Amino acid sequence: MTAIVAETWEEAAAREALLDLCMPQRFEKASELIREGRLPADGLALAAHGPDGRMVATVRLWHISAGPGRPALLLGPLAVHPWFRDRGLGGAMMHAALGRAADLGHAAVILVGDAPYYQRFGFSAAKTGGLWMPGPFDPARLLAVELKRGALDGVRGLISPTGDLAAKPSLEALIAADVKRSA
Ligand SMILES: CC(C)(COP(=O)(O)OP(=O)(O)OC[C@H]1O[C@@H](n2cnc3c(N)ncnc32)[C@H](O)[C@@H]1OP(=O)(O)O)[C@@H](O)C(=O)NCCC(=O)NCCS
């Protein structure tokens, strides 16, 4: 089994190419409204690589509030390259992500996904009935697992992003570089 490691900043393009292949529709999802313009939680952007060093699996977790004042993480996207599926890599990515999140002291993980896949990792809709996403979602697919017992008791409200904003490139710097190039 390939090692599961922290994604490096140089791998952003490789990760997006993998996601384009596995989940081309990801930008239409309500979860994207939570991820957009944010950085993933520290230490919780994970990757696995094939024998030639190319990225073959990715999963990231994001700081959220599950209703007012209830810190948690949103998981996703999880993707495994089609050539590497059905050999336990997706499961290994999930166990690594949940184990690291627990070690880092996080209280709960929420995701929007297929219950038949995610229930094997302890996810269910048992505690998400009072939560909603900032866009269209199927309540039966809004799933959660507690890393600290009772962390999601009574949660109610909008799931909203609380992670750090990703730095935007400076427009002035881009224009200056372009002017210099064409001079
Ligand atoms: C979902 C995904 C990450 C699983 O990766 P994987 O490495 O094949 O996962 P594993 O090897 O750990 O598990 C494979 C098992 O999960 C099952 N499985 C995969 N996707 C499933 C789904 N959406 N619903 C139910 N079961 C699913 C497989 O049938 C297989 O079952 P088996 O163990 O009984 O043979 C991978 O199929 C993928 O990248 N899919 C496209 C992206 C995606 O849809 N991600 C979000 C999923 S909601």
Side-chain angles (χ1 to χ4, degrees):
M1 176 63 67
T2 173
I4 295 166
V5 295
E7 180 189 297
T8 63
W9 68 268
E10 301 99 319
E11 291 187 298
R15 179 238 304 144
E16 289 305 306
L18 176 61
L19 289 172
D20 286 345
L21 177 71
C22 299
M23 299 190 76
Q25 74 292 20
R26 67 192 180 283
F27 294 115
E28 296 156 25
K29 299 191 180 267
S31 298
E32 184 60 24
L33 296 172
I34 290 174
R35 298 189 287 257
E36 196 175 23
R38 303 272 170 174
L39 294 172
D42 276 351
L44 292 173
L46 304 180
H49 302 85
D52 63 359
R54 282 192 226 181
M55 188 186 293
V56 297
T58 173
V59 67
R60 288 173 294 162
L61 293 100
W62 309 80
H63 287 291
I64 54 166
S65 194
R70 304 296 294 267
L73 294 167
L74 181 81
L75 184 146
L78 166 71
V80 172
H81 189 287
W83 293 356
F84 292 81
R85 287 183 193 164
D86 292 329
R87 53 176 93 170
L89 183 51
M93 295 293 286
M94 286 298 298
H95 288 300
L98 295 175
R100 287 182 194 208
D103 290 347
L104 289 166
H106 295 288
V109 178
I110 293 173
L111 59 79
V112 182
D114 296 340
Y117 184 66
Y118 288 108
Q119 64 194 11
R120 68 194 74 184
F121 312 111
F123 284 84
S124 81
K127 294 204 174 173
T128 59
L131 296 173
W132 59 92
M133 295 286 286
F137 72 101
D138 175 356
R141 289 168 52 82
L142 186 60
L143 311 174
V145 65
E146 291 179 338
L147 303 177
K148 292 183 183 169
R149 204 183 171 125
L152 296 176
D153 283 352
V155 285
R156 180 156 192 83
L158 177 69
I159 297 176
S160 51
T162 55
D164 290 342
L165 292 170
K168 285 192 185 145
S170 150
L171 189 57
E172 289 82 8
L174 287 173
I175 292 169
D178 197 41
V179 168
K180 200 171 159 192
R181 247 197 320 272
S182 51

